[in-house]
Coordinates of all heavy atoms in Angstrom, one line a residue:
Chain B
F18 N 3.7 -18.6 -3.0 CA 4.1 -19.0 -1.6 C 5.6 -18.7 -1.4 O 5.9 -18.0 -0.5 CB 3.8 -20.4 -1.4 CG 4.0 -20.9 0.1 CD1 3.2 -20.5 1.1 CD2 5.2 -21.6 0.3 CE1 3.5 -20.9 2.3 CE2 5.4 -22.0 1.6 CZ 4.5 -21.8 2.7
F19 N 6.5 -19.2 -2.2 CA 7.9 -19.2 -2.1 C 8.6 -17.9 -2.5 O 9.3 -17.2 -1.8 CB 8.6 -20.5 -2.6 CG 8.3 -21.7 -1.8 CD1 7.5 -22.6 -2.3 CD2 8.9 -21.9 -0.5 CE1 7.2 -23.8 -1.5 CE2 8.6 -23.1 0.2 CZ 7.8 -24.0 -0.3
M20 N 8.3 -17.7 -3.8 CA 9.0 -16.6 -4.4 C 8.6 -15.1 -3.9 O 9.4 -14.3 -3.7 CB 9.1 -16.6 -6.0 CG 9.7 -17.9 -6.6 SD 11.4 -18.2 -5.9 CE 12.2 -16.8 -6.7
A21 N 7.2 -15.1 -4.0 CA 6.7 -13.8 -3.6 C 7.0 -13.6 -2.1 O 7.4 -12.4 -1.6 CB 5.2 -13.6 -3.9
G22 N 7.0 -14.6 -1.3 CA 7.3 -14.5 0.1 C 8.7 -14.1 0.4 O 9.0 -13.2 1.1
W23 N 9.6 -14.7 -0.5 CA 11.0 -14.4 -0.3 C 11.3 -12.9 -0.8 O 12.0 -12.1 -0.1 CB 11.9 -15.4 -1.0 CG 13.4 -15.0 -1.0 CD1 14.2 -14.7 -2.0 CD2 14.2 -15.1 0.2 NE1 15.4 -14.4 -1.4 CE2 15.5 -14.7 -0.2 CE3 13.9 -15.5 1.6 CZ2 16.5 -14.6 0.8 CZ3 14.9 -15.3 2.5 CH2 16.2 -14.9 2.0
R24 N 10.7 -12.6 -1.9 CA 11.0 -11.2 -2.4 C 10.3 -10.1 -1.6 O 10.9 -9.1 -1.4 CB 10.4 -11.0 -3.9 CG 11.3 -11.6 -5.0 CD 11.2 -11.0 -6.2 NE 12.1 -11.5 -7.1 CZ 11.8 -12.6 -7.8 NH1 10.7 -13.2 -7.7 NH2 12.8 -13.2 -8.6
S25 N 9.2 -10.4 -0.9 CA 8.7 -9.4 0.0 C 9.7 -9.3 1.2 O 9.7 -8.2 1.6 CB 7.3 -9.9 0.5 OG 6.5 -10.2 -0.4
H26 N 10.2 -10.4 1.7 CA 11.1 -10.3 2.8 C 12.3 -9.5 2.3 O 12.8 -8.6 3.1 CB 11.5 -11.8 3.2 CG 12.3 -11.8 4.4 ND1 11.7 -11.8 5.6 CD2 13.6 -11.9 4.6 CE1 12.6 -11.9 6.6 NE2 13.8 -11.9 6.0
M27 N 12.8 -9.7 1.2 CA 14.0 -8.9 0.6 C 13.7 -7.5 0.6 O 14.4 -6.5 0.9 CB 14.5 -9.5 -0.6 CG 15.0 -10.9 -0.7 SD 16.5 -11.1 0.5 CE 17.7 -10.1 -0.5
A28 N 12.4 -7.2 0.1 CA 12.1 -5.8 -0.1 C 12.0 -5.1 1.1 O 12.3 -3.9 1.2 CB 10.7 -5.8 -0.9
L29 N 11.6 -5.8 2.2 CA 11.4 -5.1 3.4 C 12.5 -5.0 4.4 O 12.7 -4.2 5.3 CB 10.1 -5.6 4.1 CG 8.8 -5.4 3.3 CD1 7.7 -6.2 3.9 CD2 8.4 -4.0 3.4
F30 N 13.4 -6.0 4.1 CA 14.6 -6.2 5.1 C 15.9 -5.9 4.4 O 16.9 -6.2 5.0 CB 14.5 -7.5 5.7 CG 13.3 -7.7 6.6 CD1 12.3 -8.3 6.2 CD2 13.3 -7.1 8.0 CE1 11.1 -8.4 7.0 CE2 12.2 -7.2 8.7 CZ 11.1 -7.9 8.4
R31 N 15.9 -5.4 3.1 CA 17.2 -5.3 2.5 C 18.0 -4.2 3.1 O 19.3 -4.1 2.8 CB 16.9 -5.0 1.0 CG 18.0 -5.7 0.3 CD 17.8 -5.7 -1.3 NE 18.1 -6.9 -2.0 CZ 18.0 -7.0 -3.3 NH1 17.5 -6.1 -4.0 NH2 18.3 -8.2 -3.8
W32 N 17.3 -3.2 3.9 CA 18.0 -2.2 4.5 C 19.1 -2.8 5.4 O 20.1 -2.2 5.9 CB 17.2 -1.2 5.3 CG 16.2 -2.1 6.3 CD1 15.1 -2.6 6.0 CD2 16.6 -2.2 7.6 NE1 14.6 -3.2 7.2 CE2 15.5 -3.0 8.2 CE3 17.6 -1.9 8.5 CZ2 15.5 -3.3 9.5 CZ3 17.6 -2.4 9.8 CH2 16.5 -3.0 10.2
M33 N 18.9 -4.1 5.8 CA 19.8 -4.7 6.8 C 21.0 -5.3 6.0 O 21.0 -6.4 5.6 CB 19.0 -5.9 7.5 CG 18.2 -5.4 8.6 SD 17.8 -6.8 9.6 CE 17.3 -6.0 11.1
R34 N 22.0 -4.4 6.0 CA 23.3 -4.9 5.4 C 24.0 -5.7 6.5 O 23.6 -5.7 7.7 CB 24.2 -3.6 5.1 CG 23.6 -2.8 4.0 CD 24.2 -1.5 3.9 NE 23.4 -0.6 3.0 CZ 23.2 -0.6 1.8 NH1 23.7 -1.6 1.1 NH2 22.5 0.2 1.2
P35 N 25.0 -6.5 6.2 CA 25.7 -7.4 7.1 C 26.0 -6.6 8.4 O 25.9 -7.2 9.5 CB 26.8 -7.8 6.4 CG 26.5 -7.8 4.9 CD 25.6 -6.7 4.8
S36 N 26.4 -5.4 8.2 CA 26.8 -4.7 9.5 C 25.6 -4.4 10.4 O 25.8 -4.1 11.6 CB 27.4 -3.3 9.1 OG 26.4 -2.6 8.3
A37 N 24.4 -4.4 9.8 CA 23.2 -4.3 10.8 C 22.5 -5.6 10.9 O 22.0 -5.9 12.0 CB 22.2 -3.3 10.1
F38 N 22.6 -6.5 10.0 CA 21.9 -7.8 10.1 C 22.5 -8.7 11.3 O 21.8 -9.1 12.1 CB 22.0 -8.6 8.8 CG 21.4 -9.9 8.8 CD1 20.0 -10.0 8.5 CD2 22.1 -11.1 9.0 CE1 19.3 -11.2 8.5 CE2 21.4 -12.4 9.0 CZ 20.0 -12.4 8.7
F39 N 23.8 -8.9 11.2 CA 24.4 -9.7 12.3 C 24.3 -9.2 13.7 O 23.9 -10.0 14.5 CB 25.9 -10.0 11.9 CG 26.0 -11.0 10.7 CD1 26.3 -10.5 9.4 CD2 25.6 -12.3 10.8 CE1 26.3 -11.4 8.4 CE2 25.6 -13.2 9.7 CZ 26.0 -12.7 8.5
P40 N 24.5 -8.0 14.0 CA 24.3 -7.5 15.3 C 22.8 -7.7 15.8 O 22.6 -8.0 16.9 CB 24.6 -6.0 15.2 CG 25.6 -5.9 14.1 CD 25.2 -6.9 13.1
T41 N 21.9 -7.5 14.8 CA 20.4 -7.7 15.2 C 20.1 -9.1 15.4 O 19.5 -9.5 16.4 CB 19.5 -7.0 14.1 OG1 20.0 -5.7 13.8 CG2 18.1 -7.1 14.5
V42 N 20.5 -9.9 14.4 CA 19.9 -11.3 14.4 C 20.8 -12.2 15.3 O 20.3 -13.2 15.9 CB 19.8 -11.9 12.9 CG1 19.4 -13.3 13.0 CG2 18.9 -11.1 12.2
I43 N 22.1 -11.9 15.3 CA 22.9 -12.8 16.1 C 23.5 -12.1 17.4 O 23.5 -12.7 18.4 CB 24.2 -13.2 15.3 CG1 23.9 -14.0 14.0 CG2 25.3 -14.1 16.1 CD1 23.2 -15.4 14.2
G44 N 23.8 -10.8 17.3 CA 24.2 -10.0 18.4 C 23.4 -10.0 19.7 O 23.7 -10.4 20.8
V45 N 22.1 -9.7 19.4 CA 21.2 -9.5 20.4 C 20.9 -10.9 21.2 O 21.0 -10.9 22.5 CB 19.8 -9.0 20.0 CG1 18.7 -9.0 21.1 CG2 20.0 -7.5 19.5
P46 N 20.6 -12.0 20.5 CA 20.5 -13.2 21.3 C 21.7 -13.7 21.9 O 21.6 -14.3 22.9 CB 20.0 -14.2 20.1 CG 20.0 -13.5 18.8 CD 20.2 -12.0 19.1
T47 N 22.9 -13.3 21.3 CA 24.1 -13.8 22.0 C 24.3 -13.1 23.4 O 24.6 -13.7 24.3 CB 25.4 -13.4 21.0 OG1 25.2 -14.1 19.9 CG2 26.7 -13.8 21.7
V48 N 24.1 -11.8 23.3 CA 24.2 -11.0 24.6 C 23.1 -11.6 25.6 O 23.4 -11.8 26.8 CB 23.9 -9.5 24.3 CG1 23.9 -8.8 25.7 CG2 25.1 -9.0 23.6
Q49 N 21.9 -11.8 25.1 CA 20.8 -12.3 26.0 C 21.2 -13.7 26.6 O 21.0 -13.9 27.8 CB 19.5 -12.4 25.2 CG 18.4 -13.0 26.0 CD 17.2 -13.2 25.2 OE1 16.7 -12.4 24.3 NE2 16.5 -14.4 25.3
L50 N 21.8 -14.5 25.7 CA 22.0 -15.9 26.2 C 23.2 -15.8 27.3 O 23.0 -16.4 28.4 CB 22.5 -16.8 25.1 CG 22.8 -18.2 25.4 CD1 22.3 -19.1 24.3 CD2 24.2 -18.6 25.6
V51 N 24.2 -15.1 27.0 CA 25.4 -15.0 27.9 C 24.8 -14.3 29.2 O 25.2 -14.7 30.3 CB 26.5 -14.2 27.3 CG1 27.6 -13.8 28.3 CG2 27.0 -14.9 26.1
W52 N 24.1 -13.3 29.1 CA 23.5 -12.6 30.2 C 22.8 -13.5 31.2 O 23.0 -13.5 32.4 CB 22.7 -11.5 29.7 CG 22.4 -10.3 30.8 CD1 23.1 -9.3 30.9 CD2 21.3 -10.3 31.7 NE1 22.6 -8.4 31.9 CE2 21.5 -9.0 32.4 CE3 20.3 -11.1 32.0 CZ2 20.6 -8.7 33.5 CZ3 19.4 -10.7 33.0 CH2 19.5 -9.4 33.7
F53 N 21.8 -14.3 30.6 CA 21.0 -15.2 31.5 C 21.8 -16.3 32.0 O 21.5 -16.9 33.1 CB 19.8 -15.5 30.8 CG 18.6 -14.6 30.7 CD1 18.3 -13.9 29.7 CD2 17.9 -14.3 32.0 CE1 17.3 -13.0 29.7 CE2 17.0 -13.4 32.0 CZ 16.6 -12.6 30.8
V54 N 22.8 -16.8 31.2 CA 23.6 -17.9 31.8 C 24.3 -17.5 32.9 O 24.4 -18.2 34.0 CB 24.6 -18.5 30.5 CG1 25.7 -19.2 31.2 CG2 23.8 -19.3 29.5
Y55 N 24.9 -16.4 32.9 CA 25.7 -15.9 34.0 C 24.8 -15.5 35.2 O 25.2 -15.7 36.4 CB 26.8 -14.8 33.7 CG 27.9 -15.4 32.9 CD1 28.0 -15.3 31.5 CD2 28.9 -16.1 33.5 CE1 29.0 -15.9 30.9 CE2 30.0 -16.6 32.9 CZ 30.1 -16.6 31.5 OH 31.0 -17.1 30.9
L56 N 23.7 -14.8 34.9 CA 22.7 -14.5 36.0 C 22.2 -15.8 36.6 O 22.2 -15.9 37.8 CB 21.7 -13.7 35.4 CG 20.7 -13.3 36.4 CD1 21.1 -12.2 37.3 CD2 19.4 -12.8 35.7
G57 N 21.9 -16.8 35.8 CA 21.4 -18.1 36.3 C 22.5 -18.8 37.1 O 22.2 -19.3 38.2
N58 N 23.6 -18.7 36.6 CA 24.7 -19.3 37.5 C 25.0 -18.6 38.8 O 25.1 -19.3 39.9 CB 26.0 -19.1 36.6 CG 27.2 -19.9 37.3 OD1 27.0 -21.1 37.8 ND2 28.4 -19.4 37.3
Y59 N 24.8 -17.4 38.9 CA 24.8 -16.5 40.0 C 23.6 -16.9 41.0 O 23.9 -17.1 42.3 CB 24.8 -15.0 39.7 CG 24.8 -14.1 40.9 CD1 25.9 -13.9 41.7 CD2 23.6 -13.4 41.2 CE1 25.9 -13.1 42.9 CE2 23.6 -12.6 42.3 CZ 24.7 -12.4 43.1 OH 24.7 -11.6 44.2
V60 N 22.4 -17.0 40.4 CA 21.3 -17.2 41.2 C 21.2 -18.7 41.8 O 20.9 -19.0 42.8 CB 19.9 -17.0 40.5 CG1 18.8 -17.4 41.2 CG2 19.9 -15.4 40.1
G61 N 21.5 -19.6 40.9 CA 21.8 -21.0 41.2 C 20.4 -21.8 41.3 O 20.5 -22.8 41.9
T62 N 19.4 -21.3 40.8 CA 18.1 -22.1 40.8 C 18.1 -23.3 40.0 O 17.6 -24.3 40.3 CB 16.9 -21.1 40.4 OG1 17.1 -19.9 41.1 CG2 15.5 -21.7 40.7
H63 N 18.6 -23.2 38.8 CA 18.8 -24.3 37.9 C 20.3 -24.4 37.4 O 21.0 -23.5 37.5 CB 17.9 -24.1 36.6 CG 16.4 -23.9 36.9 ND1 15.6 -24.9 37.3 CD2 15.7 -22.7 36.8 CE1 14.4 -24.4 37.5 NE2 14.5 -23.1 37.2
P64 N 20.6 -25.5 36.8 CA 21.9 -25.7 36.2 C 21.9 -24.6 35.0 O 20.9 -24.3 34.5 CB 21.9 -27.1 35.6 CG 20.8 -27.9 36.3 CD 19.7 -26.9 36.7
V65 N 23.2 -24.1 34.7 CA 23.3 -23.2 33.6 C 22.8 -23.7 32.3 O 22.4 -22.9 31.6 CB 24.8 -22.7 33.5 CG1 25.2 -21.8 34.7 CG2 25.7 -23.8 33.3

Side-chain angles (χ1 to χ4, degrees):
Chain B
F18 184 76
F19 288 108
M20 297 309 296
W23 178 249
R24 280 211 176 84
S25 303
H26 190 81
M27 293 300 287
L29 296 167
F30 294 98
R31 221 177 213 178
W32 56 272
M33 280 199 158
R34 297 172 195 284
S36 58
F38 182 82
F39 287 106
T41 307
V42 176
I43 301 292
V45 172
T47 298
V48 172
Q49 180 184 316
L50 188 143
V51 172
W52 199 89
F53 278 109
V54 161
Y55 284 100
L56 182 72
N58 188 37
Y59 175 73
V60 174
T62 311
H63 301 287
V65 289

